[in-house]
Amino acid sequence: MKFLIINGPNLNMLGIREPELYGRQDYAALCERVRAACAARGIDCELFQSNHEGVLVDKIQAAYGVFDGIVINPAAYTHTSVAILDALKAVAIPAVEVHLTAVEQREAFRRVSYAGMACIATVTGKGFAGYEEAVEILKNYIEER
Ligand code: DQA
């Protein structure tokens, strides 16, 4: 089983950006944690981060026929990007949306998720552990299909 883990804009700034919200651990620490979660389940994974919407769309398109599942934190593009939603729908690879923070409890504009409309599940407000949960949900979903 092969998963693509996608992180959107400003997640490369983890540890620096709003630590009271996103924590003090950096993006490299997140990658390490996700790699360990995948390895423990016998899953191959690739991690990808970009600050650019079109680059994220290109990466999702390129996943077609290559990856069995996608874990995605589209970050701010969650709330704006029909293009990312359409890309997820186009490839039809099972995807789980993850957010470090409880987006549903923050500003009203964060309560809308376009990408989430193409995902089998959403995990919010659990920090780095949310990515582990997303990997587990995706693995179970694919195995049970
Ligand atoms: C985020 C929540 C988004 O609203 C925000 O724009 C982010 C991070 C999260 O992981 O909690 O950049 O996706």
Side-chain angles (χ1 to χ4, degrees):
M1 210 179 284
K2 217 172 155 191
F3 287 2
L4 174 62
I5 319 295
I6 300 179
N7 281 291
N10 301 306
L11 290 167
N12 57 315
M13 296 292 283
L14 284 176
I16 296 168
R17 80 181 283 213
E18 302 177 89
E20 64 288 354
L21 273 180
Y22 298 109
R24 298 197 180 272
Q25 287 188 286
D26 64 9
Y27 178 67
L30 173 63
C31 292
E32 212 172 289
R33 183 118 175 225
V34 173
R35 276 196 198 97
C38 288
R41 293 166 175 82
I43 298 163
D44 289 336
C45 72
E46 180 184 326
L47 286 113
F48 183 80
Q49 189 277 331
S50 176
N51 294 323
H52 305 279
E53 185 176 15
V55 174
L56 294 166
V57 169
D58 287 344
K59 191 68 186 176
I60 294 166
Q61 289 184 6
Y64 183 74
V66 178
F67 291 94
D68 305 299
I70 295 175
V71 171
I72 184 164
N73 182 347
Y77 290 136
T78 306
H79 321 297
T80 62
S81 181
V82 177
I84 290 174
L85 166 63
D86 285 349
L88 289 169
K89 283 179 156 180
V91 297
I93 298 168
V96 174
E97 174 188 25
V98 56
H99 297 285
L100 294 160
T101 61
V103 279
E104 66 282 358
Q105 291 169 21
R106 296 178 62 190
E107 303 95 322
F109 66 83
R110 294 187 205 273
R111 287 180 207 144
V112 174
S113 170
Y114 290 101
M117 295 174 196
C119 292
I120 59 153
T122 297
V123 181
T124 68
K126 296 186 174 169
F128 287 9
Y131 285 76
E132 292 171 344
E133 195 174 319
V135 164
E136 182 66 22
I137 290 168
L138 200 50
K139 178 177 179 276
N140 291 339
Y141 177 85
I142 291 167
E143 281 174 352
E144 283 163 22
R145 254 203 322 185

